[in-house]
Amino acid sequence: MKILMFGRGVIATVYGWALERAGHDVEFYVRPGRAATYGDTTDLDLLDTRRRVWGHRVVEKWPVRYREALEPDHDFDLIVLSVPHHRLAEATAFLSPRVGQATVLVFGNIWTEPQAAIGALPVDQVAWGFPQAGGGFGEDGVLRGALLPAVIFGTLGQPPTDRERAVRQAFREAGFRLKEQPDFRGWLWVHFVSDAGLFSQGLRLGSLSKLAGATGDLREGLLAGRELLPLLKARGLDLRRHRGGVLLFRAPTWLTAPALAWLTAHVAPVRVNLAAHSDPDAEEPREVCRDTLAEARRLGISVPRLEAAEPTFVREGTGRV
């Protein structure tokens, strides 16, 4: 399969590497002028857990191919679109007249209605998924992170199309287990508020990496997530369909917070992933919290912990991050 990774972010790079290792033809689309800045190789330091629970460390210089233009008559079979949720509208506006015959895998956070979020992209050429990897580029340019063994896929009320099955097969061939979410729209929203709860406390500390092993701060993050569950109900979500997704927030924090602290401090994939999120100026955590708080205010839902964290994700005098 000929695959275009849209952008050169962490998720695009990690999964582009895994898909190429499985024999697929992978390129990256980057903004004009960026290819020369990035160079011909990407330095990787990854914990790959697809085949071993404890993971296999990969340290290598990976040769990559970039392109700075995309014509509508291209021959890519799949475009993997994994951008921060607040950049999705810009990305889909660019891709819509250039999608050609490719399937577009929308692969990341969404907080609006999914079909509205993709703009003018042809719905019958879209597949829906969510990564299970993370990390960050260090000041030295090295991408450090962890790749988990499963990838989330879902649909919006219909069985997978032939295009969607082909995307799933590409990831299966790359050694990933597939997890299907029948209510993918709801799953995305549960995940989004889960992020908002924990992000709000990471931002308060200065970066998400500081949550590792921090029982008290993780407890506050779990309670912030619990306060956001009524927001999902107000949006019309049936939380009974997502019992597993909200269990962490509904369970007693005297049990869950120490367990989460232990996981983040001692389980290698979780620890490596969290440690890589050390950038105090990271944009996406702030945007997730800001948009969640804006929706809570619109619907009149009380979210005191997210409100208390607001100074950490809004620039003074602008109302924006």
Side-chain angles (χ1 to χ4, degrees):
M1 184 178 281
K2 188 170 183 180
I3 301 173
L4 180 68
M5 313 303 292
F6 190 84
R8 190 248 193 187
V10 171
I11 298 302
T13 303
V14 170
Y15 284 97
W17 170 80
L19 289 164
E20 185 177 90
R21 289 280 292 263
H24 298 285
D25 183 0
V26 174
E27 295 182 39
F28 291 79
Y29 170 79
V30 295
R31 295 178 187 273
R34 294 288 178 85
T37 301
Y38 294 145
D40 296 331
T41 61
T42 295
D43 290 318
L44 301 175
D45 186 349
L46 300 176
L47 187 65
D48 182 358
T49 66
R50 284 174 295 169
R51 293 173 180 84
R52 301 176 185 172
V53 174
W54 54 89
H56 166 66
R57 189 180 180 194
V58 176
V59 179
E60 66 175 66
K61 284 185 176 293
W62 176 41
V64 294
R65 290 177 294 153
Y66 297 112
R67 60 166 53 220
E68 296 180 343
L70 184 65
E71 301 300 328
D73 59 351
H74 63 77
D75 60 349
F76 288 102
D77 303 298
L78 172 64
I79 300 173
V80 178
L81 177 57
S82 183
V83 297
H85 79 282
H86 60 287
R87 302 292 185 195
L88 187 57
E90 176 188 1
T92 58
F94 174 85
L95 276 179
S96 294
R98 299 172 174 86
V99 67
Q101 299 303 307
T103 300
V104 178
L105 173 62
V106 180
F107 204 46
N109 264 329
I110 294 177
W111 184 226
T112 57
E113 289 290 342
Q115 290 190 345
I118 62 173
L121 284 177
V123 176
D124 62 350
Q125 289 180 234
V126 171
W128 305 93
F130 200 91
Q132 299 284 273
F137 285 94
E139 293 183 1
D140 56 1
V142 177
L143 172 53
R144 296 178 176 87
L147 183 64
L148 299 184
V151 177
I152 308 295
F153 284 100
T155 60
L156 304 179
Q158 294 104 14
T161 63
D162 289 343
R163 286 179 178 270
E164 291 172 303
R165 284 191 286 270
V167 174
R168 285 158 169 76
Q169 182 60 27
F171 278 81
R172 189 180 288 112
E173 290 169 355
F176 293 100
R177 297 200 311 266
L178 310 185
K179 292 185 177 180
E180 292 285 342
Q181 292 292 335
D183 177 16
F184 195 60
R185 167 181 173 269
W187 186 90
L188 285 167
W189 289 359
V190 169
H191 186 274
F192 198 93
V193 300
S194 301
D195 277 354
L198 292 171
F199 286 173
S200 68
Q201 301 310 304
L203 290 170
R204 185 177 57 79
L205 294 174
S207 75
L208 303 186
S209 63
K210 294 182 180 180
L211 285 173
T215 303
D217 298 297
L218 287 167
R219 177 182 181 276
E220 287 300 300
L222 293 171
L223 291 173
R226 183 183 297 176
E227 291 174 354
L228 289 166
L229 298 183
L231 174 57
L232 296 175
K233 289 184 179 180
R235 282 186 135 205
L237 198 63
D238 183 357
L239 294 182
R240 293 173 298 181
R241 300 187 65 184
H242 300 278
R243 289 188 178 94
V246 302
L247 178 61
L248 184 64
F249 299 97
R250 284 181 163 167
T253 56
W254 61 262
L255 175 65
T256 54
L260 192 56
W262 187 88
L263 284 171
T264 56
H266 298 288
V267 176
V270 181
R271 186 187 70 246
V272 168
N273 189 350
L274 200 57
H277 288 82
S278 59
D279 181 3
D281 299 318
E283 185 179 49
E284 174 70 350
R286 288 173 165 79
E287 290 286 352
V288 167
C289 291
R290 183 185 67 82
D291 287 348
T292 305
L293 181 56
E295 181 72 348
R297 286 172 170 164
R298 185 182 74 84
L299 294 175
I301 304 300
S302 175
V303 288
R305 284 179 170 81
L306 192 56
E307 291 267 6
E310 185 177 10
T312 67
F313 56 82
V314 174
R315 287 179 184 157
E316 186 176 354
T318 66
R320 300 287 297 180
V321 294

